[in-house]
Amino acid sequence: MWGEAPRGDRLDDTDQRLIAALRRDGRASVSDLAAQLGLSRATVRTRIERLVARGEISGFTVLTRADVTASPVRGMMMLTVEGRATERVVQRLLGLPAVQAVHTTNGQWDLIVEIGTRSLPDLDETILHIRRIEGVQRTETNLQLSTRRPSARL
């Protein structure tokens, strides 16, 4: 039947649409989600509970004005790390106030570092500091000029 939960561990189309709707508006009511998806409120509530229980949804969060404006200058810094220094470099990076996240990756770069500062001079200082960390071989930094997120569909 159309509103039933999927079998197995795979996400079906309805689960994926539900997650997409929650990404657009994490505060949407169950009634609004049900209307958007063409499902009953009970089905939406059951699916959300199941997705949370299975770990598909890890949590819900709120972005405040301070989250967005405290670090208006943002950048992504890609790093190549020598040999087996990755864990040591990651720990040093996580100790820097401007570092918002560190991602391991594959390909040309070993790490991607999200940086947020109040000003371009602060960003420049952070970049220089990171380049001086023992084990960092090569870097490339890109400024984030704007951020777009999925918006609620009317």
Side-chain angles (χ1 to χ4, degrees):
M1 190 180 289
W2 196 71
E4 290 180 4
R7 290 175 171 63
D9 290 336
R10 294 182 333 150
L11 294 179
D12 68 2
D13 181 61
T14 303
D15 283 339
Q16 291 175 4
R17 290 178 29 236
L18 175 57
I19 289 171
L22 287 168
R23 281 186 175 136
R24 286 189 299 275
D25 183 2
R27 294 187 62 207
S29 69
V30 171
S31 295
D32 289 343
L33 292 167
Q36 286 177 39
L37 300 173
L39 301 171
S40 72
R41 290 181 317 182
T43 298
V44 170
R45 183 176 299 112
T46 300
R47 281 180 175 260
I48 290 172
E49 289 171 357
R50 183 178 43 77
L51 289 166
V52 169
R54 286 179 33 196
E56 295 293 340
I57 295 176
S58 297
F60 299 85
T61 187
V62 172
L63 289 176
T64 66
R65 183 185 339 222
D67 294 330
V68 177
T69 59
S71 302
V73 179
R74 296 163 297 145
M76 300 296 277
M77 186 175 200
M78 286 70 70
L79 284 76
T80 299
V81 178
E82 68 178 308
R84 299 180 184 190
T86 302
E87 192 55 40
R88 187 177 72 246
V89 170
V90 168
Q91 291 308 313
R92 294 278 309 275
L93 291 168
L94 291 173
L96 299 176
V99 171
Q100 297 175 342
V102 177
H103 308 276
T104 57
T105 186
N106 65 332
Q108 178 180 358
W109 303 103
D110 298 313
L111 301 172
I112 298 176
V113 182
E114 293 181 42
I115 302 170
T117 63
R118 293 184 187 274
S119 67
L120 283 172
D122 289 345
L123 180 67
D124 189 39
E125 183 179 320
T126 299
I127 290 169
L128 290 173
H129 186 93
I130 291 172
R131 287 179 176 159
R132 291 185 193 121
I133 294 174
E134 186 178 340
V136 173
Q137 285 187 322
R138 195 167 64 104
T139 69
E140 179 181 313
T141 305
N142 294 294
L143 290 178
Q144 295 176 2
L145 300 177
S146 67
T147 300
R148 294 180 178 98
R149 302 191 192 284
S151 59
R153 294 187 183 152
L154 301 176

